[in-house]
């Protein structure tokens, strides 16, 4: 049989997750040309050709024309926003594969009130919670609770819309910020107040075509800003893979009790989910409970995952649309991968930007280390910070300790004023909880 034709691939997204995907795609023998919308990211720009049209759902026809003119065979959509906006639906065409769910499937992440309802109807174990559209009613309900609660914006808030109040004042302030002051814009039109469950917080990611499920190796991220899981929630300050926080029994329980019933529940709504499904869970003595679903790879979980992927990522990315998940060869390195996120001063509330960064080349040259760009840009030949999660320093090692040591040695070579990072990523003193 002749080898499959090399593919033109379009990658949508501009963060460290997409840089990790771009690096894996660029290694594929099946790649012809990689185009990317996120080439203001210098890491992605080094691997992909730019897309000279606006990336705006209101002008999606421009991107459609670009895809037609450049015979794009595969589109990989990294972040949740374009998925929720319907890029996967709008860019679909004969002879073109899309990696990423439709807007109706991405609602699982983009509309947490809907998602909660779906879980309840399908008896999927999840934290008890209530949705509110009236801030006064939310205040009243929160004030009436005696046990600890979590307050969440129901829409997309870039990983920052989850607040863990320790006092009544903090809770009422969170409701005010989300619903009245609209700190997260329309994401705060609806708000969820749910019970705070104690236990270890873990993520399970799987790739699915809506029927078959390929559960990915366990990853553990660290959501709080500071060591020992203190400080505000962030998009994620680091991750490691494989994570020993999830054993085989728990992984299969998540598959049977959470992932399969969720895909079945979606199918009953006539929604076929294709892409990555990410379950954020708390491990309780009664079994895993869902905190939330995401409709894409985690950032930073994708960085250590891609570092460990040995087989061809293009096979994996084509599989959900082609229905070939059961047929493809997926191999992971025996090595451990650790990713340490370097963030800007002020992150997550108000990160500083425009700060010169040095030492990336030295760090990247280390054996087993890849420095992935999250929020950087080039200004007059100088690399500068351009947002909150600046760089994801990702290292492979023969043991977890080795990978950790390499990641931290590399992280220390990178200098910028106000650099913040956790020193306990992948250390067993870290016990992520809500
Ligand atoms: N690391 C958490 C997320 O991607 O939502």
């Amino acid at each position: 049989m002749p080898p499959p034709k090399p593919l033109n691939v379009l990658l949508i997204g501009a963060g460290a997750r997409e840089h990790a995907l771009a690096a894996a795609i660029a290694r594929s023998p099946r790649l012809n040309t990689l185009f990317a919308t996120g080439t203001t990211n210098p890491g992605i720009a080094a691997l992909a050709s730019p897309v000279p049209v606006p990336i705006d759902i209101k002008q999606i026809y421009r991107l459609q024309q670009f895809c037609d003119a450049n015979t794009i065979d595969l589109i990989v959509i990294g972040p949740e926003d374009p998925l929720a906006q319907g890029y996967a639906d709008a860019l679909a065409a004969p002879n073109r594969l899309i990696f990423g769910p439709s807007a109706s499937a991405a609602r699982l992440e983009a509309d947490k009130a809907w998602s909660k309802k779906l879980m309840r109807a399908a008896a999927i174990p999840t934290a008890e919670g209530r949705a509110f559209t009236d801030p006064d009613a939310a205040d009243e309900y929160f004030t009436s609770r005696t046990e600890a609660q979590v307050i969440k914006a129901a829409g997309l808030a870039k990983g920052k819309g989850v607040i863990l109040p320790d006092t009544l004042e903090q809770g009422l302030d969170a409701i005010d910020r989300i619903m009245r002051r609209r700190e997260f814009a329309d994401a705060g039109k609806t708000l969820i107040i749910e019970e705070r469950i104690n236990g270890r917080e873990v993520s399970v990611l799987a790739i699915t075509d809506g029927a078959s499920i390929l559960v990915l190796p366990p990853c553990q991220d660290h959501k709080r800003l500071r060591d020992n899981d203190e400080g505000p929630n962030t998009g994620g300050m680091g991750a490691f893979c494989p994570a020993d926080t999830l054993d085989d029994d728990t992984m299969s329980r998540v598959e049977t009790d959470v992932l399969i019933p969720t895909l079945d529940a979606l199918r009953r709504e006539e929604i076929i989910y294709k892409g990555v499904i990410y379950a954020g869970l708390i491990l309780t003595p009664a079994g895993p409970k869902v905190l939330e679903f995401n409709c894409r790879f985690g950032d930073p979980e994708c960085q250590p995952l891609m570092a460990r992927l040995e087989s061809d990522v293009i096979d994996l990315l084509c599989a959900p649309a082609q229905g070939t998940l059961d047929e493809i060869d997926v191999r992971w390195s025996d090595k451990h991968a650790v990713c340490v996120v370097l963030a800007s001063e002020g992150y997550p509330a108000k990160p500083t930007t425009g700060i010169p960064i040095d030492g990336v080349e030295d760090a990247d040259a280390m054996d087993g280390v890849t420095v992935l760009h999250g929020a950087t840009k080039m200004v007059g030949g100088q690399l500068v910070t351009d947002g909150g999660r600046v760089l994801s320093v990702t290292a492979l090692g023969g043991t977890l300790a080795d990978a950790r040591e390499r990641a931290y040695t590399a992280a220390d070579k990178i200098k910028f004023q106000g650099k913040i990072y956790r020193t306990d990523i992948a250390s067993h003193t870290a016990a992520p909880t809500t």
Side-chain angles (χ1 to χ4, degrees):
M1 213 168 46
K5 144 179 134 38
L7 303 185
N8 291 328
V9 180
L10 169 66
L11 174 65
I12 296 178
R17 166 184 48 211
E18 287 75 31
H19 186 184
L21 288 167
I25 294 167
R27 286 196 294 271
S28 168
R30 292 187 62 193
L31 179 67
N32 187 36
T33 303
L34 174 61
F35 295 91
T37 61
T39 49
T40 51
N41 176 323
I44 297 176
L47 300 167
S49 302
V51 175
V53 300
I55 308 305
D56 175 356
I57 191 70
K58 294 197 202 86
Q59 298 184 59
I60 195 72
Y61 70 94
R62 303 279 302 272
L63 196 54
Q64 289 161 342
Q65 286 167 350
F66 174 87
C67 292
D68 292 342
N70 291 280
T71 331
I72 298 296
D73 303 294
L74 168 67
I75 300 180
V76 180
I77 307 175
E80 59 275 22
D81 285 298
L83 290 165
Q85 287 168 3
Y87 275 61
D89 313 73
L91 296 173
N95 302 323
R96 184 178 301 149
L97 303 171
I98 312 269
F99 183 83
S102 62
S104 53
R107 225 177 141 191
L108 207 53
E109 172 170 4
D111 181 351
K112 292 179 178 54
W114 179 82
S115 170
K116 192 65 127 182
K117 221 163 111 195
L118 185 101
M119 283 189 264
R120 277 229 199 82
I124 293 159
T126 181
E128 278 308 315
R130 280 186 52 181
F132 296 89
T133 49
D134 171 7
D136 295 338
D139 283 348
E140 196 178 320
Y141 177 78
F142 184 77
T143 307
S144 74
R145 308 313 296 167
T146 48
E147 65 285 6
Q149 303 288 306
V150 181
I151 297 180
K152 297 180 179 178
L156 296 178
K158 304 203 182 312
K160 296 183 215 154
V162 177
I163 295 166
L164 311 171
D166 290 325
T167 62
L168 177 63
E169 290 68 34
Q170 285 176 8
L172 296 178
D173 182 56
I175 295 168
D176 194 48
R177 282 168 50 204
I178 294 173
M179 296 196 91
R180 296 192 187 88
R181 288 190 263 149
R182 287 293 171 90
E183 212 167 275
F184 307 109
D186 281 356
K189 267 194 199 160
T190 303
L191 172 137
I192 315 270
I193 302 180
E194 71 181 25
E195 60 169 339
R196 198 184 307 183
I197 311 171
N198 291 320
R200 187 176 275 275
E201 186 174 342
V202 297
S203 321
V204 174
L205 285 84
I207 295 186
T208 179
D209 54 17
S212 304
I213 294 178
L214 176 79
V215 179
L216 301 179
C219 286
Q220 174 77 58
D221 84 339
H222 299 259
K223 288 209 174 70
R224 299 287 198 108
L225 181 68
R226 288 194 282 278
D227 285 4
N228 301 316
D229 296 306
E230 288 173 0
N233 254 14
T234 69
M237 293 299 291
F240 63 101
C241 177
D244 56 3
T245 42
L246 276 160
D247 56 31
D248 290 348
D249 277 357
T250 312
M251 289 295 271
S252 39
R253 195 152 174 198
V254 172
E255 185 170 352
T256 51
D257 294 359
V258 173
L259 297 175
I260 293 172
T262 302
L263 297 177
D264 289 346
L266 287 168
R267 220 175 302 114
R268 286 195 290 275
E269 303 276 326
E270 299 188 353
I271 297 169
I272 307 297
Y273 194 108
K274 294 182 183 183
V276 181
I277 180 163
Y278 168 136
L281 306 150
I282 290 279
L283 301 183
T284 76
K289 284 196 178 186
V290 179
L291 291 178
E292 62 177 16
F293 282 111
N294 294 324
C295 61
R296 33 83 194 165
F297 283 109
D299 183 348
E301 292 94 325
C302 187
Q303 290 82 308
L305 265 174
M306 288 300 123
R308 293 189 60 235
L309 181 63
E310 282 187 344
S311 50
D312 192 331
V313 75
I314 288 190
D315 290 345
L316 193 62
L317 296 170
C318 289
Q322 282 183 318
T324 49
L325 264 180
D326 292 339
E327 297 160 27
I328 56 169
D329 163 40
V330 183
R331 275 172 290 112
W332 304 94
S333 162
D334 288 338
K335 291 188 172 166
H336 293 252
V338 171
C339 168
V340 176
V341 171
L342 308 183
S344 296
E345 189 169 9
Y347 177 73
K350 267 207 179 115
T352 54
T353 57
I355 308 291
I357 308 169
D358 292 309
V360 169
E361 279 181 12
D362 274 0
D364 201 48
M366 279 181 59
D367 192 27
V369 172
T370 311
V371 180
L372 299 160
H373 292 246
T376 69
K377 65 178 178 186
M378 293 300 284
V379 176
Q382 170 69 52
L383 187 69
V384 301
T385 63
D386 194 33
R389 290 190 293 164
V390 178
L391 294 163
S392 282
V393 181
T394 307
L396 277 173
T399 61
L400 187 63
D402 179 25
R404 222 182 148 250
E405 156 125 31
R406 284 171 202 259
Y408 277 109
T409 306
D412 286 341
K413 289 182 190 287
I414 298 173
K415 315 273 183 217
F416 56 90
Q417 198 189 328
K419 174 179 91 172
I420 49 179
Y421 62 99
R422 281 182 62 156
T423 64
D424 62 352
I425 302 301
S427 81
H428 286 90
T429 56
T433 55
T434 47

